[in-house]
Amino acid sequence: MNDNRAAFGKLINDHQNKIFHVAMGMLGNRDEALDITQEVFLKAFKSYNDFRFNSSFETWLIRITINKVKDYIRKEKLKRFLFLKPENSTEKIITMVKDNNPSPHENLEQKQIGVKLKSFQESLKGREREVFALRFGCEYSIKDISALIGIGQSSVKTYLYRALDKAKRNFKDLEKP
Amino acid sequence: MKDKHLTDKEIFSIIIEPEASEREIYSHLEKCALCQKRFNKIKAFTGVFHEYVEQGDINWTEEKQKILASISEQDRPSFLRWKWATAFTFACLILVSVFLFKQFYYNNEVLISERDLLEEIQIVTDFKGNVEFSQSILYLSGYEPEESNSFLNLFLPMEEDYNEKEDFTDDIFGITAFKRSIHA
């Protein structure tokens, strides 16, 4: 059992960063993404014996992550629908945006960017969100994304075009000097 | 080279798949300031998004420990994992059992007292006259029914009185009178 745990510890070291980026790219909230990362490894530990080595371990973990995030989003929507959670969770986003910037002006800018990115992510629908997170959050190639999600490369591109179009409309004022 | 400005789709294609985009698009982009501005805007956005997702200030060692701790937690029996639920269930069980025990205990108390009362009535009705008093003492002092005769001998004078009353009715052969003469 201890050997298993040591081996699993190594797997966590190798993949936790990637898993977090996928979750963060889809959710836009650091705390939620960390929770999802933890859940993914728990799930992987429990069902490791079911893993058939048809794909790489990383691919398997990312598929689990995507499914976990989808479940999470579904539950959140349900909570909002049942009025258990406020519609606008902007304050939470502001606190979770990294603020290791010494300048208050830059800090504020960061927070504004965080809020805008979160609202942009929420404007993306279904696959658009997954594909966008994988391409621009984790920098996977179109081919890899196609293999990960199990859809054709042209479909991946279509989702990305749509997502970028939404980004263009939402971020008219978001320019980096 | 393209004379018209690039369409949004063309700009997006450079961002989505830079290696697969046409040369013409690149050559236009190199010369057209307006298209460059549009391209830079989108490129900057994707850059900001990537930076935002990276979140470089996470302590991964700590996060790994948390994951391993949650795995250890999963190994424990399920009732130990649900600490609060288990505690609440046990508390409820204790409360219910206390309530039930109390109910049962009081019911038994009532039954015992009723039985004792019935016994007392039975014993008292077995004797007559002044013996009732002694019988009550007998009962209260915890004597067994078998021992009652020896106990009742303590009250002989009362027995004599009782016999006197019977002289007029049952003493046909004058035995009581004979006994009394002996006593005298």
Side-chain angles (χ1 to χ4, degrees), chain A residues 1 5 13 16 20-21 28 30 96 113 135-137 157 168 172 176, chain B residues 8 13 16-17 41 48 50-54 57-58 60 64 71-72 75:
Chain A
M1 194 68 195
R5 207 160 291 171
N13 277 345
Q16 63 181 354
F20 171 77
H21 289 161
R30 180 197 160 113
M96 62 89 196
I113 289 168
R135 179 70 190 95
F136 298 110
K157 282 181 202 168
K168 191 193 153 205
K172 276 178 184 168
K176 248 193 167 179
Chain B
D8 282 343
S13 72
I16 292 168
E17 227 178 357
K41 209 171 162 181
V48 168
H50 182 69
E51 269 179 38
Y52 176 70
V53 166
E54 286 273 296
D57 59 336
I58 293 168
W60 286 116
K64 183 189 162 186
I71 286 169
S72 310
D75 286 344

PDB file of all heavy atoms in Angstrom, chain A residues 1 5 13 16 20-21 28 30 96 113 135-137 157 168 172 176, chain B residues 8 13 16-17 41 48 50-54 57-58 60 64 71-72 75:
ATOM      1  N   MET A   1       0.834  -1.215   0.000  1.00  0.00           N
ATOM      2  CA  MET A   1       0.000   0.000   0.000  1.00  0.00           C
ATOM      3  C   MET A   1       0.870   1.267   0.000  1.00  0.00           C
ATOM      4  O   MET A   1       0.608   2.220  -0.702  1.00  0.00           O
ATOM      5  CB  MET A   1      -0.907  -0.028   1.236  1.00  0.00           C
ATOM      6  CG  MET A   1      -2.039   0.979   1.196  1.00  0.00           C
ATOM      7  SD  MET A   1      -3.220   0.540  -0.077  1.00  0.00           S
ATOM      8  CE  MET A   1      -4.119   2.065  -0.205  1.00  0.00           C
ATOM      9  N   ARG A   5       1.358   4.227  -2.755  1.00  0.00           N
ATOM     10  CA  ARG A   5       1.225   5.652  -2.438  1.00  0.00           C
ATOM     11  C   ARG A   5       2.456   6.435  -2.904  1.00  0.00           C
ATOM     12  O   ARG A   5       2.323   7.548  -3.400  1.00  0.00           O
ATOM     13  CB  ARG A   5       1.013   5.808  -0.937  1.00  0.00           C
ATOM     14  CG  ARG A   5       0.251   7.078  -0.623  1.00  0.00           C
ATOM     15  CD  ARG A   5      -0.373   7.032   0.716  1.00  0.00           C
ATOM     16  NE  ARG A   5      -1.460   6.063   0.747  1.00  0.00           N
ATOM     17  CZ  ARG A   5      -2.083   5.690   1.845  1.00  0.00           C
ATOM     18  NH1 ARG A   5      -1.733   6.178   2.998  1.00  0.00           N
ATOM     19  NH2 ARG A   5      -3.082   4.832   1.804  1.00  0.00           N
ATOM     20  N   ASN A  13       3.206  14.514  -8.718  1.00  0.00           N
ATOM     21  CA  ASN A  13       4.256  15.499  -9.045  1.00  0.00           C
ATOM     22  C   ASN A  13       4.284  15.807 -10.533  1.00  0.00           C
ATOM     23  O   ASN A  13       4.399  16.951 -10.951  1.00  0.00           O
ATOM     24  CB  ASN A  13       5.628  14.949  -8.658  1.00  0.00           C
ATOM     25  CG  ASN A  13       5.924  15.165  -7.198  1.00  0.00           C
ATOM     26  OD1 ASN A  13       5.258  15.957  -6.538  1.00  0.00           O
ATOM     27  ND2 ASN A  13       6.897  14.435  -6.687  1.00  0.00           N
ATOM     28  N   GLN A  16       0.108  17.185 -11.643  1.00  0.00           N
ATOM     29  CA  GLN A  16      -0.832  18.074 -10.949  1.00  0.00           C
ATOM     30  C   GLN A  16      -0.899  19.473 -11.584  1.00  0.00           C
ATOM     31  O   GLN A  16      -1.968  20.082 -11.646  1.00  0.00           O
ATOM     32  CB  GLN A  16      -0.543  18.163  -9.454  1.00  0.00           C
ATOM     33  CG  GLN A  16       0.781  18.748  -9.052  1.00  0.00           C
ATOM     34  CD  GLN A  16       0.957  18.745  -7.528  1.00  0.00           C
ATOM     35  OE1 GLN A  16       0.049  18.405  -6.785  1.00  0.00           O
ATOM     36  NE2 GLN A  16       2.126  19.131  -7.087  1.00  0.00           N
ATOM     37  N   PHE A  20      -4.336  21.060 -13.015  1.00  0.00           N
ATOM     38  CA  PHE A  20      -4.801  22.341 -12.489  1.00  0.00           C
ATOM     39  C   PHE A  20      -5.050  23.340 -13.622  1.00  0.00           C
ATOM     40  O   PHE A  20      -6.058  24.051 -13.623  1.00  0.00           O
ATOM     41  CB  PHE A  20      -3.774  22.907 -11.494  1.00  0.00           C
ATOM     42  CG  PHE A  20      -4.065  24.312 -11.069  1.00  0.00           C
ATOM     43  CD1 PHE A  20      -5.057  24.574 -10.140  1.00  0.00           C
ATOM     44  CD2 PHE A  20      -3.383  25.387 -11.620  1.00  0.00           C
ATOM     45  CE1 PHE A  20      -5.353  25.877  -9.761  1.00  0.00           C
ATOM     46  CE2 PHE A  20      -3.666  26.688 -11.251  1.00  0.00           C
ATOM     47  CZ  PHE A  20      -4.648  26.931 -10.317  1.00  0.00           C
ATOM     48  N   HIS A  21      -4.161  23.374 -14.579  1.00  0.00           N
ATOM     49  CA  HIS A  21      -4.326  24.323 -15.686  1.00  0.00           C
ATOM     50  C   HIS A  21      -5.592  24.046 -16.487  1.00  0.00           C
ATOM     51  O   HIS A  21      -6.285  24.988 -16.893  1.00  0.00           O
ATOM     52  CB  HIS A  21      -3.097  24.285 -16.615  1.00  0.00           C
ATOM     53  CG  HIS A  21      -1.878  24.881 -15.977  1.00  0.00           C
ATOM     54  ND1 HIS A  21      -0.606  24.629 -16.431  1.00  0.00           N
ATOM     55  CD2 HIS A  21      -1.741  25.691 -14.906  1.00  0.00           C
ATOM     56  CE1 HIS A  21       0.259  25.279 -15.667  1.00  0.00           C
ATOM     57  NE2 HIS A  21      -0.408  25.929 -14.740  1.00  0.00           N
ATOM     58  N   GLY A  28     -11.842  29.118 -14.269  1.00  0.00           N
ATOM     59  CA  GLY A  28     -11.434  30.498 -14.008  1.00  0.00           C
ATOM     60  C   GLY A  28     -11.405  30.850 -12.537  1.00  0.00           C
ATOM     61  O   GLY A  28     -11.372  32.010 -12.173  1.00  0.00           O
ATOM     62  N   ARG A  30      -9.405  29.827  -8.988  1.00  0.00           N
ATOM     63  CA  ARG A  30      -8.248  29.091  -8.451  1.00  0.00           C
ATOM     64  C   ARG A  30      -8.647  28.032  -7.409  1.00  0.00           C
ATOM     65  O   ARG A  30      -8.214  26.887  -7.491  1.00  0.00           O
ATOM     66  CB  ARG A  30      -7.322  30.132  -7.836  1.00  0.00           C
ATOM     67  CG  ARG A  30      -6.072  29.629  -7.230  1.00  0.00           C
ATOM     68  CD  ARG A  30      -5.532  30.734  -6.339  1.00  0.00           C
ATOM     69  NE  ARG A  30      -4.609  30.190  -5.381  1.00  0.00           N
ATOM     70  CZ  ARG A  30      -3.304  30.465  -5.391  1.00  0.00           C
ATOM     71  NH1 ARG A  30      -2.814  31.247  -6.288  1.00  0.00           N
ATOM     72  NH2 ARG A  30      -2.520  29.945  -4.483  1.00  0.00           N
ATOM     73  N   MET A  96      -9.553  35.827  -5.575  1.00  0.00           N
ATOM     74  CA  MET A  96      -8.685  34.720  -5.957  1.00  0.00           C
ATOM     75  C   MET A  96      -7.671  35.088  -7.043  1.00  0.00           C
ATOM     76  O   MET A  96      -6.751  34.336  -7.297  1.00  0.00           O
ATOM     77  CB  MET A  96      -9.520  33.502  -6.380  1.00  0.00           C
ATOM     78  CG  MET A  96     -10.394  33.663  -7.562  1.00  0.00           C
ATOM     79  SD  MET A  96      -9.550  33.271  -9.043  1.00  0.00           S
ATOM     80  CE  MET A  96     -10.599  33.979 -10.268  1.00  0.00           C
ATOM     81  N   ILE A 113      -9.043  42.166 -14.949  1.00  0.00           N
ATOM     82  CA  ILE A 113      -8.835  41.149 -15.987  1.00  0.00           C
ATOM     83  C   ILE A 113      -9.459  39.824 -15.546  1.00  0.00           C
ATOM     84  O   ILE A 113     -10.138  39.145 -16.313  1.00  0.00           O
ATOM     85  CB  ILE A 113      -7.323  40.983 -16.300  1.00  0.00           C
ATOM     86  CG1 ILE A 113      -6.812  42.214 -17.041  1.00  0.00           C
ATOM     87  CG2 ILE A 113      -7.068  39.728 -17.143  1.00  0.00           C
ATOM     88  CD1 ILE A 113      -5.304  42.301 -17.138  1.00  0.00           C
ATOM     89  N   ARG A 135      -6.579  24.729 -25.591  1.00  0.00           N
ATOM     90  CA  ARG A 135      -5.714  25.333 -26.616  1.00  0.00           C
ATOM     91  C   ARG A 135      -4.913  26.515 -26.047  1.00  0.00           C
ATOM     92  O   ARG A 135      -3.702  26.588 -26.223  1.00  0.00           O
ATOM     93  CB  ARG A 135      -6.569  25.809 -27.813  1.00  0.00           C
ATOM     94  CG  ARG A 135      -5.781  26.468 -28.934  1.00  0.00           C
ATOM     95  CD  ARG A 135      -4.928  25.461 -29.676  1.00  0.00           C
ATOM     96  NE  ARG A 135      -3.995  26.102 -30.602  1.00  0.00           N
ATOM     97  CZ  ARG A 135      -2.733  26.397 -30.311  1.00  0.00           C
ATOM     98  NH1 ARG A 135      -2.239  26.135 -29.123  1.00  0.00           N
ATOM     99  NH2 ARG A 135      -1.945  26.968 -31.215  1.00  0.00           N
ATOM    100  N   PHE A 136      -5.587  27.424 -25.366  1.00  0.00           N
ATOM    101  CA  PHE A 136      -4.898  28.646 -24.937  1.00  0.00           C
ATOM    102  C   PHE A 136      -4.474  28.633 -23.471  1.00  0.00           C
ATOM    103  O   PHE A 136      -3.585  29.376 -23.088  1.00  0.00           O
ATOM    104  CB  PHE A 136      -5.760  29.879 -25.245  1.00  0.00           C
ATOM    105  CG  PHE A 136      -6.016  30.034 -26.711  1.00  0.00           C
ATOM    106  CD1 PHE A 136      -7.283  29.832 -27.244  1.00  0.00           C
ATOM    107  CD2 PHE A 136      -4.976  30.356 -27.578  1.00  0.00           C
ATOM    108  CE1 PHE A 136      -7.516  29.958 -28.604  1.00  0.00           C
ATOM    109  CE2 PHE A 136      -5.197  30.476 -28.949  1.00  0.00           C
ATOM    110  CZ  PHE A 136      -6.470  30.271 -29.464  1.00  0.00           C
ATOM    111  N   GLY A 137      -5.125  27.799 -22.657  1.00  0.00           N
ATOM    112  CA  GLY A 137      -4.705  27.687 -21.259  1.00  0.00           C
ATOM    113  C   GLY A 137      -3.543  26.722 -21.109  1.00  0.00           C
ATOM    114  O   GLY A 137      -2.572  26.999 -20.415  1.00  0.00           O
ATOM    115  N   LYS A 157     -11.502  23.271 -34.418  1.00  0.00           N
ATOM    116  CA  LYS A 157     -11.229  24.609 -34.967  1.00  0.00           C
ATOM    117  C   LYS A 157     -12.482  25.473 -34.940  1.00  0.00           C
ATOM    118  O   LYS A 157     -12.433  26.651 -34.618  1.00  0.00           O
ATOM    119  CB  LYS A 157     -10.705  24.484 -36.401  1.00  0.00           C
ATOM    120  CG  LYS A 157      -9.254  24.073 -36.463  1.00  0.00           C
ATOM    121  CD  LYS A 157      -8.820  24.007 -37.911  1.00  0.00           C
ATOM    122  CE  LYS A 157      -7.607  23.105 -38.081  1.00  0.00           C
ATOM    123  NZ  LYS A 157      -7.329  22.806 -39.476  1.00  0.00           N
ATOM    124  N   LYS A 168     -13.421  38.504 -28.902  1.00  0.00           N
ATOM    125  CA  LYS A 168     -13.241  39.781 -29.606  1.00  0.00           C
ATOM    126  C   LYS A 168     -14.359  40.763 -29.240  1.00  0.00           C
ATOM    127  O   LYS A 168     -14.120  41.952 -29.029  1.00  0.00           O
ATOM    128  CB  LYS A 168     -13.247  39.515 -31.118  1.00  0.00           C
ATOM    129  CG  LYS A 168     -12.806  40.689 -31.946  1.00  0.00           C
ATOM    130  CD  LYS A 168     -13.141  40.480 -33.392  1.00  0.00           C
ATOM    131  CE  LYS A 168     -13.318  41.834 -34.057  1.00  0.00           C
ATOM    132  NZ  LYS A 168     -14.168  41.744 -35.224  1.00  0.00           N
ATOM    133  N   LYS A 172     -13.222  44.297 -26.149  1.00  0.00           N
ATOM    134  CA  LYS A 172     -12.831  45.391 -27.046  1.00  0.00           C
ATOM    135  C   LYS A 172     -11.821  46.317 -26.370  1.00  0.00           C
ATOM    136  O   LYS A 172     -10.952  46.883 -26.998  1.00  0.00           O
ATOM    137  CB  LYS A 172     -14.080  46.178 -27.445  1.00  0.00           C
ATOM    138  CG  LYS A 172     -14.793  45.520 -28.605  1.00  0.00           C
ATOM    139  CD  LYS A 172     -16.045  46.257 -28.982  1.00  0.00           C
ATOM    140  CE  LYS A 172     -16.758  45.480 -30.076  1.00  0.00           C
ATOM    141  NZ  LYS A 172     -18.101  45.961 -30.316  1.00  0.00           N
ATOM    142  N   LYS A 176      -3.213  44.922 -24.303  1.00  0.00           N
ATOM    143  CA  LYS A 176      -1.948  45.010 -23.567  1.00  0.00           C
ATOM    144  C   LYS A 176      -1.013  45.925 -24.323  1.00  0.00           C
ATOM    145  O   LYS A 176      -0.844  45.758 -25.526  1.00  0.00           O
ATOM    146  CB  LYS A 176      -1.348  43.606 -23.432  1.00  0.00           C
ATOM    147  CG  LYS A 176      -1.360  43.134 -22.013  1.00  0.00           C
ATOM    148  CD  LYS A 176      -0.493  41.929 -21.881  1.00  0.00           C
ATOM    149  CE  LYS A 176      -0.252  41.653 -20.406  1.00  0.00           C
ATOM    150  NZ  LYS A 176       0.577  40.471 -20.241  1.00  0.00           N
TER     151      LYS A 176
ATOM    152  N   ASP B   8     -11.716  38.453 -39.894  1.00  0.00           N
ATOM    153  CA  ASP B   8     -11.540  37.955 -38.516  1.00  0.00           C
ATOM    154  C   ASP B   8     -11.099  36.495 -38.522  1.00  0.00           C
ATOM    155  O   ASP B   8     -10.241  36.085 -37.746  1.00  0.00           O
ATOM    156  CB  ASP B   8     -12.859  38.072 -37.732  1.00  0.00           C
ATOM    157  CG  ASP B   8     -13.112  39.501 -37.280  1.00  0.00           C
ATOM    158  OD1 ASP B   8     -12.162  40.299 -37.280  1.00  0.00           O
ATOM    159  OD2 ASP B   8     -14.264  39.798 -36.901  1.00  0.00           O
ATOM    160  N   SER B  13      -7.250  32.311 -37.532  1.00  0.00           N
ATOM    161  CA  SER B  13      -6.542  31.098 -37.994  1.00  0.00           C
ATOM    162  C   SER B  13      -5.058  31.171 -37.657  1.00  0.00           C
ATOM    163  O   SER B  13      -4.428  30.149 -37.350  1.00  0.00           O
ATOM    164  CB  SER B  13      -6.765  30.881 -39.500  1.00  0.00           C
ATOM    165  OG  SER B  13      -6.037  31.840 -40.215  1.00  0.00           O
ATOM    166  N   ILE B  16      -4.957  30.401 -33.919  1.00  0.00           N
ATOM    167  CA  ILE B  16      -5.318  29.011 -33.583  1.00  0.00           C
ATOM    168  C   ILE B  16      -4.261  28.034 -34.077  1.00  0.00           C
ATOM    169  O   ILE B  16      -3.821  27.156 -33.351  1.00  0.00           O
ATOM    170  CB  ILE B  16      -6.709  28.662 -34.183  1.00  0.00           C
ATOM    171  CG1 ILE B  16      -7.796  29.472 -33.457  1.00  0.00           C
ATOM    172  CG2 ILE B  16      -7.014  27.174 -34.110  1.00  0.00           C
ATOM    173  CD1 ILE B  16      -9.153  29.430 -34.144  1.00  0.00           C
ATOM    174  N   GLU B  17      -3.869  28.210 -35.315  1.00  0.00           N
ATOM    175  CA  GLU B  17      -2.928  27.252 -35.909  1.00  0.00           C
ATOM    176  C   GLU B  17      -1.885  28.005 -36.741  1.00  0.00           C
ATOM    177  O   GLU B  17      -1.975  28.065 -37.975  1.00  0.00           O
ATOM    178  CB  GLU B  17      -3.717  26.276 -36.801  1.00  0.00           C
ATOM    179  CG  GLU B  17      -3.341  24.846 -36.562  1.00  0.00           C
ATOM    180  CD  GLU B  17      -4.184  23.905 -37.421  1.00  0.00           C
ATOM    181  OE1 GLU B  17      -5.093  24.385 -38.152  1.00  0.00           O
ATOM    182  OE2 GLU B  17      -3.912  22.714 -37.402  1.00  0.00           O
ATOM    183  N   LYS B  41      -4.298  42.503 -30.656  1.00  0.00           N
ATOM    184  CA  LYS B  41      -5.352  42.581 -29.644  1.00  0.00           C
ATOM    185  C   LYS B  41      -5.798  41.174 -29.228  1.00  0.00           C
ATOM    186  O   LYS B  41      -5.887  40.859 -28.044  1.00  0.00           O
ATOM    187  CB  LYS B  41      -6.540  43.343 -30.246  1.00  0.00           C
ATOM    188  CG  LYS B  41      -7.356  44.090 -29.249  1.00  0.00           C
ATOM    189  CD  LYS B  41      -8.336  44.963 -30.025  1.00  0.00           C
ATOM    190  CE  LYS B  41      -9.476  45.404 -29.154  1.00  0.00           C
ATOM    191  NZ  LYS B  41     -10.424  46.219 -29.918  1.00  0.00           N
ATOM    192  N   VAL B  48      -2.987  36.871 -22.040  1.00  0.00           N
ATOM    193  CA  VAL B  48      -3.500  37.179 -20.694  1.00  0.00           C
ATOM    194  C   VAL B  48      -4.211  35.950 -20.118  1.00  0.00           C
ATOM    195  O   VAL B  48      -4.031  35.603 -18.949  1.00  0.00           O
ATOM    196  CB  VAL B  48      -4.458  38.401 -20.752  1.00  0.00           C
ATOM    197  CG1 VAL B  48      -5.226  38.563 -19.455  1.00  0.00           C
ATOM    198  CG2 VAL B  48      -3.689  39.661 -21.052  1.00  0.00           C
ATOM    199  N   HIS B  50      -3.661  32.846 -20.836  1.00  0.00           N
ATOM    200  CA  HIS B  50      -2.672  31.826 -20.485  1.00  0.00           C
ATOM    201  C   HIS B  50      -1.994  32.152 -19.150  1.00  0.00           C
ATOM    202  O   HIS B  50      -1.839  31.289 -18.284  1.00  0.00           O
ATOM    203  CB  HIS B  50      -1.630  31.705 -21.598  1.00  0.00           C
ATOM    204  CG  HIS B  50      -0.612  30.642 -21.348  1.00  0.00           C
ATOM    205  ND1 HIS B  50      -0.925  29.301 -21.371  1.00  0.00           N
ATOM    206  CD2 HIS B  50       0.705  30.726 -21.032  1.00  0.00           C
ATOM    207  CE1 HIS B  50       0.151  28.605 -21.082  1.00  0.00           C
ATOM    208  NE2 HIS B  50       1.155  29.437 -20.871  1.00  0.00           N
ATOM    209  N   GLU B  51      -1.608  33.429 -19.008  1.00  0.00           N
ATOM    210  CA  GLU B  51      -0.971  33.870 -17.751  1.00  0.00           C
ATOM    211  C   GLU B  51      -1.900  33.647 -16.571  1.00  0.00           C
ATOM    212  O   GLU B  51      -1.478  33.207 -15.508  1.00  0.00           O
ATOM    213  CB  GLU B  51      -0.652  35.369 -17.829  1.00  0.00           C
ATOM    214  CG  GLU B  51       0.719  35.695 -18.350  1.00  0.00           C
ATOM    215  CD  GLU B  51       0.935  37.197 -18.411  1.00  0.00           C
ATOM    216  OE1 GLU B  51       0.461  37.916 -17.502  1.00  0.00           O
ATOM    217  OE2 GLU B  51       1.558  37.648 -19.384  1.00  0.00           O
ATOM    218  N   TYR B  52      -3.147  33.978 -16.802  1.00  0.00           N
ATOM    219  CA  TYR B  52      -4.157  33.858 -15.747  1.00  0.00           C
ATOM    220  C   TYR B  52      -4.330  32.393 -15.320  1.00  0.00           C
ATOM    221  O   TYR B  52      -4.466  32.083 -14.143  1.00  0.00           O
ATOM    222  CB  TYR B  52      -5.465  34.430 -16.301  1.00  0.00           C
ATOM    223  CG  TYR B  52      -6.658  34.317 -15.407  1.00  0.00           C
ATOM    224  CD1 TYR B  52      -6.738  35.077 -14.242  1.00  0.00           C
ATOM    225  CD2 TYR B  52      -7.725  33.489 -15.730  1.00  0.00           C
ATOM    226  CE1 TYR B  52      -7.853  34.994 -13.420  1.00  0.00           C
ATOM    227  CE2 TYR B  52      -8.838  33.402 -14.922  1.00  0.00           C
ATOM    228  CZ  TYR B  52      -8.891  34.154 -13.773  1.00  0.00           C
ATOM    229  OH  TYR B  52      -9.990  34.078 -12.968  1.00  0.00           O
ATOM    230  N   VAL B  53      -4.289  31.512 -16.296  1.00  0.00           N
ATOM    231  CA  VAL B  53      -4.452  30.080 -16.011  1.00  0.00           C
ATOM    232  C   VAL B  53      -3.211  29.524 -15.302  1.00  0.00           C
ATOM    233  O   VAL B  53      -3.321  28.670 -14.434  1.00  0.00           O
ATOM    234  CB  VAL B  53      -4.736  29.310 -17.334  1.00  0.00           C
ATOM    235  CG1 VAL B  53      -4.584  27.816 -17.160  1.00  0.00           C
ATOM    236  CG2 VAL B  53      -6.130  29.637 -17.837  1.00  0.00           C
ATOM    237  N   GLU B  54      -2.058  30.061 -15.637  1.00  0.00           N
ATOM    238  CA  GLU B  54      -0.809  29.530 -15.063  1.00  0.00           C
ATOM    239  C   GLU B  54      -0.751  29.670 -13.541  1.00  0.00           C
ATOM    240  O   GLU B  54      -0.350  28.737 -12.862  1.00  0.00           O
ATOM    241  CB  GLU B  54       0.402  30.266 -15.675  1.00  0.00           C
ATOM    242  CG  GLU B  54       0.675  29.849 -17.105  1.00  0.00           C
ATOM    243  CD  GLU B  54       1.573  28.630 -17.199  1.00  0.00           C
ATOM    244  OE1 GLU B  54       2.734  28.720 -16.789  1.00  0.00           O
ATOM    245  OE2 GLU B  54       1.091  27.597 -17.708  1.00  0.00           O
ATOM    246  N   ASP B  57       1.897  31.094  -8.344  1.00  0.00           N
ATOM    247  CA  ASP B  57       2.216  31.170  -6.903  1.00  0.00           C
ATOM    248  C   ASP B  57       1.634  30.014  -6.083  1.00  0.00           C
ATOM    249  O   ASP B  57       1.420  30.153  -4.884  1.00  0.00           O
ATOM    250  CB  ASP B  57       1.706  32.506  -6.343  1.00  0.00           C
ATOM    251  CG  ASP B  57       0.221  32.672  -6.518  1.00  0.00           C
ATOM    252  OD1 ASP B  57      -0.337  32.038  -7.425  1.00  0.00           O
ATOM    253  OD2 ASP B  57      -0.403  33.417  -5.741  1.00  0.00           O
ATOM    254  N   ILE B  58       1.391  28.903  -6.716  1.00  0.00           N
ATOM    255  CA  ILE B  58       0.808  27.776  -5.965  1.00  0.00           C
ATOM    256  C   ILE B  58       1.916  26.898  -5.385  1.00  0.00           C
ATOM    257  O   ILE B  58       2.869  26.560  -6.079  1.00  0.00           O
ATOM    258  CB  ILE B  58      -0.130  26.943  -6.878  1.00  0.00           C
ATOM    259  CG1 ILE B  58      -1.332  27.793  -7.251  1.00  0.00           C
ATOM    260  CG2 ILE B  58      -0.580  25.658  -6.190  1.00  0.00           C
ATOM    261  CD1 ILE B  58      -2.173  27.234  -8.341  1.00  0.00           C
ATOM    262  N   TRP B  60       2.959  23.639  -4.748  1.00  0.00           N
ATOM    263  CA  TRP B  60       2.540  22.315  -5.223  1.00  0.00           C
ATOM    264  C   TRP B  60       2.855  21.203  -4.228  1.00  0.00           C
ATOM    265  O   TRP B  60       2.162  20.198  -4.177  1.00  0.00           O
ATOM    266  CB  TRP B  60       3.162  22.001  -6.590  1.00  0.00           C
ATOM    267  CG  TRP B  60       2.507  22.793  -7.687  1.00  0.00           C
ATOM    268  CD1 TRP B  60       3.096  23.741  -8.471  1.00  0.00           C
ATOM    269  CD2 TRP B  60       1.134  22.746  -8.099  1.00  0.00           C
ATOM    270  NE1 TRP B  60       2.182  24.286  -9.331  1.00  0.00           N
ATOM    271  CE2 TRP B  60       0.967  23.687  -9.135  1.00  0.00           C
ATOM    272  CE3 TRP B  60       0.033  22.018  -7.697  1.00  0.00           C
ATOM    273  CZ2 TRP B  60      -0.244  23.919  -9.769  1.00  0.00           C
ATOM    274  CZ3 TRP B  60      -1.191  22.235  -8.322  1.00  0.00           C
ATOM    275  CH2 TRP B  60      -1.318  23.163  -9.348  1.00  0.00           C
ATOM    276  N   LYS B  64       0.158  18.629  -2.974  1.00  0.00           N
ATOM    277  CA  LYS B  64       0.382  17.176  -3.085  1.00  0.00           C
ATOM    278  C   LYS B  64       0.089  16.506  -1.751  1.00  0.00           C
ATOM    279  O   LYS B  64      -0.546  15.431  -1.703  1.00  0.00           O
ATOM    280  CB  LYS B  64       1.837  16.928  -3.506  1.00  0.00           C
ATOM    281  CG  LYS B  64       2.164  15.465  -3.710  1.00  0.00           C
ATOM    282  CD  LYS B  64       3.654  15.284  -3.916  1.00  0.00           C
ATOM    283  CE  LYS B  64       4.048  13.854  -3.677  1.00  0.00           C
ATOM    284  NZ  LYS B  64       5.490  13.662  -3.730  1.00  0.00           N
ATOM    285  N   ILE B  71      -6.356  10.881   0.108  1.00  0.00           N
ATOM    286  CA  ILE B  71      -6.307   9.465  -0.290  1.00  0.00           C
ATOM    287  C   ILE B  71      -6.290   8.585   0.963  1.00  0.00           C
ATOM    288  O   ILE B  71      -6.998   7.581   1.040  1.00  0.00           O
ATOM    289  CB  ILE B  71      -5.081   9.199  -1.197  1.00  0.00           C
ATOM    290  CG1 ILE B  71      -5.330   9.789  -2.582  1.00  0.00           C
ATOM    291  CG2 ILE B  71      -4.796   7.702  -1.325  1.00  0.00           C
ATOM    292  CD1 ILE B  71      -4.133   9.826  -3.476  1.00  0.00           C
ATOM    293  N   SER B  72      -5.497   8.970   1.965  1.00  0.00           N
ATOM    294  CA  SER B  72      -5.450   8.211   3.230  1.00  0.00           C
ATOM    295  C   SER B  72      -6.825   8.211   3.881  1.00  0.00           C
ATOM    296  O   SER B  72      -7.254   7.209   4.449  1.00  0.00           O
ATOM    297  CB  SER B  72      -4.452   8.839   4.187  1.00  0.00           C
ATOM    298  OG  SER B  72      -3.245   9.040   3.559  1.00  0.00           O
ATOM    299  N   ASP B  75      -9.032   5.651   2.541  1.00  0.00           N
ATOM    300  CA  ASP B  75      -8.728   4.275   2.947  1.00  0.00           C
ATOM    301  C   ASP B  75      -9.420   3.882   4.243  1.00  0.00           C
ATOM    302  O   ASP B  75      -9.588   2.706   4.526  1.00  0.00           O
ATOM    303  CB  ASP B  75      -7.214   4.103   3.131  1.00  0.00           C
ATOM    304  CG  ASP B  75      -6.517   4.067   1.791  1.00  0.00           C
ATOM    305  OD1 ASP B  75      -7.228   3.872   0.790  1.00  0.00           O
ATOM    306  OD2 ASP B  75      -5.295   4.241   1.748  1.00  0.00           O
TER     307      ASP B  75
END
